[in-house]
């Protein structure tokens, strides 16, 4: 009885006082609010990830296929592994953050104390956990999760990139021949592959010669291989990192990354940076290295390498397999996360992946025509007219760079310059932007001082001894700059104590 009385009262309140017209008005208002929320979500999604400045993309497809109702990630930690095309990935992060005025967690020098484990106090401006919001952390480090978590927010997206250990060994040897003690002693990479224990000493730091991925991820690279240890490393990576990219499939990696981050396609368009003159490679049954693949996709060719470098880095397929076994932990990680990578592509959809990769390559070609001289052909550093964008040189193979197209308007030139600016110079630009007072006092030239470490003579008995000012400290060979002026090359008598890129 009481229930019926309350039901009648409710009907009277709704129909008598409010009326059916008001019910319909309330319903329509509710629908309108819901539609407005969805519309605002679409607008926010597009506007918040669109470049803050001038867009240089001519194609209407620069945004790429729709990402749906997702919010772009702006808290990002990229573990920049060695010899994996990571400099190109870092440039993409630089550009994204620079255009949106995000705050970078920058090192005091050019690295976070590598090869020592990462420490939060090596971040410039760090004042303690949660004292300051950092958006992007991405320079070379030896991963140390507890310390990284002191710097980055809880919702940070973690990702990294890996490569076939045989290809990594070839690149590492070419780059670190005069830096890594194990490589310095070996006559050639083939010589090292045939008997690595003759040259490798696990007690020596800066070896770069064994399980470099394992080391960068913060684990013991010198342990005897066991499945249990390898699986423990795999578990740590899976629990910490949201995505692991594969260098040999760089374009596919960029598509997966842009969907994971909810970024428009144009943000992951890039040119190959820190690339070196090198011979084609069939490492791991692939049709070429990342550099040659990226160059082919952009319609770019490479010049030949120095004959000596070819001889020193040439290896047989049997020796490549020896290098994989020597780097057994890295091989396990590569195989494991390569499988995961292709499982992700299968879930993504092969047809959609092919469509977006084609669009990405089209945009890269478009940008090469807009931004770069000669359609984007890389050139030797000494032939780049703008000395501020010449890449730093180290190793057996020359590091190539790009020249900007002349006659660009200011906005286009700024956008193009961001795409080709070398890593060290870009770091200095961001540093000056975030710490203008410090920048006014002057910074050290990264070509003279890299990673916060001094350049030392190969024959110097004291580590850290600086060469006399104005003296290269060894044999020099005359080279000509683009304008005919003389350049002095240091014939590898000056070497770098700590890894650069």
């Amino acid at each position: 009885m009481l229930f019926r009385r309350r039901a009648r009262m409710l009907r009277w309140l709704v129909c008598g006082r409010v009326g059916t017209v008001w019910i319909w008005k309330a319903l329509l208002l509710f629908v309108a609010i819901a539609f407005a929320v969805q519309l605002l979500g679409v607008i926010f999604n597009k506007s918040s990830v669109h470049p803050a400045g001038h867009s240089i993309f001519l194609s209407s497809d620069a945004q790429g296929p729709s990402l749906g109702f997702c919010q772009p990630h702006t808290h990002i930690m990229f573990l920049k592994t060695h010899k994996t095309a990571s400099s190109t990935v870092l440039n993409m992060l630089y550009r994204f953050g620079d255009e949106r005025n995000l705050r970078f967690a920058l090192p005091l020098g050019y690295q976070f104390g590598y090869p020592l484990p990462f420490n939060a106090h090596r971040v410039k401006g760090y004042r303690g956990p949660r004292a300051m919001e950092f958006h992007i952390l991405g320079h070379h480090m030896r991963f140390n999760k507890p310390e990284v978590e002191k710097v980055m927010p809880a919702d940070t997206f973690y990702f990294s990139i890996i490569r076939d250990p045989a290809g990594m060994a070839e690149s590492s040897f070419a780059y670190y021949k005069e830096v890594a003690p194990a490589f310095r002693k070996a006559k050639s990479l083939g010589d090292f592959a045939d008997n690595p224990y003759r040259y490798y000493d696990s007690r020596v730091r800066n070896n770069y010669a064994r399980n470099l991925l394992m080391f960068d991820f913060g684990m013991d690279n010198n342990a005897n291989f066991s499945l249990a240890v390898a699986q423990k490393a795999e578990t740590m990576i899976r629990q910490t990192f949201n995505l692991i990219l594969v260098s040999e499939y760089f374009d596919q990696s960029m598509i997966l990354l842009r969907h994971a981050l909810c970024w428009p396609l144009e943000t992951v368009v890039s040119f190959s940076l820190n690339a070196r003159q090198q011979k084609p490679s069939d490492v791991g049954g692939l049709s070429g290295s990342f550099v040659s693949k990226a160059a082919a996709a952009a319609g770019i060719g490479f010049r030949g390498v120095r004959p000596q470098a070819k001889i020193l880095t040439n290896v047989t397929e049997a020796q490549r397999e020896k290098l994989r076994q020597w780097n057994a932990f890295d091989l396990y990680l590569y195989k494991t996360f390569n499988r995961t990578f292709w499982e992700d592509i299968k879930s993504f959809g092969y047809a959609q992946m092919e469509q977006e990769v084609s669009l990405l390559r089209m945009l890269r070609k478009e940008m090469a025509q807009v931004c770069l001289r000669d359609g984007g052909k890389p050139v030797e550093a000494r032939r780049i007219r703008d000395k501020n964008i010449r890449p730093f040189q180290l190793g057996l193979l020359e590091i190539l760079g790009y020249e900007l197209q002349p006659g660009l308007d200011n906005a286009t030139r700024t956008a193009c310059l961001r795409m080709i600016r070398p890593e060290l110079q870009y770091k200095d630009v961001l540093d000056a932007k975030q710490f203008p007072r410090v920048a006014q006092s002057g910074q050290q030239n990264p070509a003279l001082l890299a990673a916060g470490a001094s350049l030392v003579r190969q024959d110097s008995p004291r580590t850290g001894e600086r060469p006399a000012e104005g003296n290269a400290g060894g044999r020099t060979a005359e080279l000509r700059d683009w304008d005919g002026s003389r350049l002095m090359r240091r014939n590898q008598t000056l070497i770098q104590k700590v890894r650069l890129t």
Side-chain angles (χ1 to χ4, degrees):
M1 188 68 179
L2 180 61
F3 175 77
R4 291 178 182 176
R5 187 179 300 169
R6 289 182 176 177
R8 284 197 299 270
M9 185 179 296
L10 182 61
R11 282 197 299 272
W12 178 79
L13 286 172
V14 172
C15 298
R17 284 183 175 271
V18 179
T20 55
V21 175
W22 287 102
I23 293 176
W24 281 109
K25 286 183 177 180
L27 183 60
L28 288 173
L29 180 62
F30 176 78
V31 172
I33 291 173
F35 177 76
V37 169
Q38 285 190 336
L39 182 61
L40 287 173
V42 173
I43 294 173
F44 178 78
N45 180 50
K46 288 187 177 292
S47 63
S48 61
V49 298
H50 195 276
H54 174 71
S55 178
I56 57 176
F57 288 87
L58 304 176
S59 173
S60 59
D61 296 323
Q63 291 281 303
S66 173
L67 294 168
F69 301 108
C70 60
Q71 298 299 323
H73 284 276
T74 55
H75 292 144
I76 301 157
M77 189 276 161
F78 171 53
L79 179 60
K80 188 178 185 294
T81 49
H82 291 80
K83 317 317 301 173
T84 57
S86 60
S87 292
T88 304
V89 179
L90 184 60
N91 174 267
M92 177 197 68
L93 297 177
Y94 276 164
R95 287 184 282 123
F96 184 88
D98 189 16
E99 291 165 356
R100 292 155 183 82
N101 294 316
L102 302 182
R103 182 179 294 276
F104 289 84
L106 298 173
L108 297 173
Y110 291 92
Q111 295 183 15
F112 293 108
Y114 192 90
L116 298 175
F118 175 78
N119 186 289
H121 291 283
R122 293 194 179 98
V123 174
K124 192 170 184 177
Y126 176 76
R127 299 188 184 92
R130 293 175 295 280
M132 179 183 295
E133 181 185 18
F134 290 100
H135 295 96
I136 299 176
L137 172 62
H139 287 78
H140 277 309
M141 68 167 70
R142 189 178 186 195
F143 189 67
N144 184 0
K145 184 179 179 181
E147 290 294 310
V148 169
E149 288 177 336
K150 292 180 181 179
V151 177
M152 300 304 295
D155 64 345
T156 295
F157 183 94
Y158 289 73
F159 78 102
S160 188
I161 185 168
I162 60 174
R163 184 183 178 187
D164 177 5
M168 285 184 66
E170 289 182 89
S171 293
S172 296
F173 188 88
Y175 196 76
Y176 301 125
K177 179 67 174 76
E178 299 301 326
V179 177
F183 291 154
R184 190 165 61 240
K185 297 174 185 175
K187 298 177 182 178
S188 66
L189 180 58
D191 180 35
F192 178 84
D194 288 334
N195 194 356
Y197 286 105
R198 176 191 295 176
Y199 307 109
Y200 184 81
D201 185 346
S202 61
R203 298 168 297 178
V204 178
R205 291 199 323 184
N206 296 355
N207 251 317
Y208 305 103
R210 190 176 196 188
N211 292 312
L212 194 48
L213 284 176
M214 190 81 164
F215 186 84
D216 285 350
F217 276 104
M219 289 162 284
D220 186 1
N221 62 316
N222 288 312
N224 293 326
F225 181 83
S226 73
L227 186 59
V229 174
Q231 289 175 338
K232 182 179 179 181
E234 174 193 350
T235 300
M236 185 284 290
I237 294 172
R238 290 193 186 279
Q239 290 177 347
T240 304
F241 290 83
N242 303 90
L243 182 64
I244 300 295
L245 309 178
V246 179
S247 176
E248 288 86 353
Y249 305 100
F250 189 83
D251 290 344
Q252 292 86 345
S253 293
M254 291 299 98
I255 300 303
L256 289 181
L257 181 63
R258 85 111 180 170
H259 278 266
L261 295 177
C262 191
W263 288 6
L265 183 62
E266 62 182 339
T267 59
V268 298
V269 176
S270 58
F271 302 127
S272 175
L273 298 183
N274 208 31
R276 293 165 183 79
Q277 294 176 326
Q278 56 184 285
K279 62 186 184 302
S281 171
D282 293 321
V283 175
L286 302 172
S287 59
S289 67
F290 158 72
V291 174
S292 60
K293 285 188 174 184
I300 294 170
F302 285 92
R303 303 185 184 185
V305 301
R306 293 193 289 269
Q308 181 193 24
K310 281 186 176 182
I311 296 171
L312 292 177
T313 58
N314 274 346
V315 289
T316 66
E317 188 56 43
Q319 288 170 331
R320 288 194 184 98
E321 189 56 36
K322 288 180 180 179
L323 290 171
R324 293 188 183 101
Q325 297 308 315
W326 168 248
N327 296 281
F329 281 117
D330 280 7
L331 181 62
Y332 177 89
L333 294 178
Y334 179 76
K335 287 182 174 180
T336 298
F337 288 101
N338 189 40
R339 282 195 301 269
T340 302
F341 177 82
W342 286 102
E343 288 169 2
D344 290 343
I345 290 181
K346 182 178 180 181
S347 299
F348 183 84
Y350 294 120
Q352 184 181 355
M353 176 60 70
E354 184 176 355
Q355 174 192 356
E356 294 205 27
V357 165
S358 297
L359 184 55
L360 174 67
R361 290 172 178 171
M362 181 193 75
L363 293 174
R364 184 186 291 131
K365 283 186 177 181
E366 179 183 304
M367 285 304 94
Q369 293 172 356
V370 171
C371 294
L372 307 178
R373 277 180 177 266
D374 303 323
K377 187 176 182 179
V379 297
E380 294 91 342
R382 67 181 183 275
R383 301 197 182 279
I384 298 175
R385 290 165 172 80
D386 185 351
K387 297 181 181 180
N388 293 319
I389 57 173
R390 290 178 176 179
F392 182 81
Q393 300 297 314
L394 181 70
L396 300 175
L397 303 176
E398 185 162 6
I399 302 171
L400 304 175
Y402 300 96
E403 282 211 277
L404 284 177
Q405 195 79 265
L408 299 174
D409 62 81
N410 288 337
T412 302
R413 189 181 188 280
T414 297
C416 291
L417 183 59
R418 284 173 173 153
M419 296 187 72
I420 67 169
R421 181 178 280 131
E423 178 182 335
L424 297 184
Q425 288 93 316
Y426 211 149
K427 185 267 177 185
D428 284 342
V429 168
L430 297 173
D431 199 313
K433 183 178 180 180
Q434 290 185 192
F435 305 96
R437 292 183 179 178
V438 177
Q440 289 175 2
S441 64
Q443 289 184 337
Q444 293 167 310
N445 188 335
L448 299 178
L449 193 62
S454 62
L455 293 173
V456 298
R457 289 182 53 175
Q458 181 177 346
D459 56 354
S460 172
R462 293 178 297 173
T463 301
E465 179 183 346
R466 295 178 182 270
E469 185 176 354
N471 183 8
R475 299 185 311 275
T476 58
E478 181 176 318
L479 293 174
R480 292 286 176 177
D481 204 346
W482 68 273
D483 58 0
S485 59
R486 290 199 305 176
L487 292 173
M488 305 300 288
R489 166 170 288 178
R490 296 162 180 160
N491 283 341
Q492 298 172 351
T493 57
L494 287 181
I495 65 171
Q496 194 176 20
K497 180 182 177 184
V498 179
R499 161 79 172 99
L500 174 60
T501 57

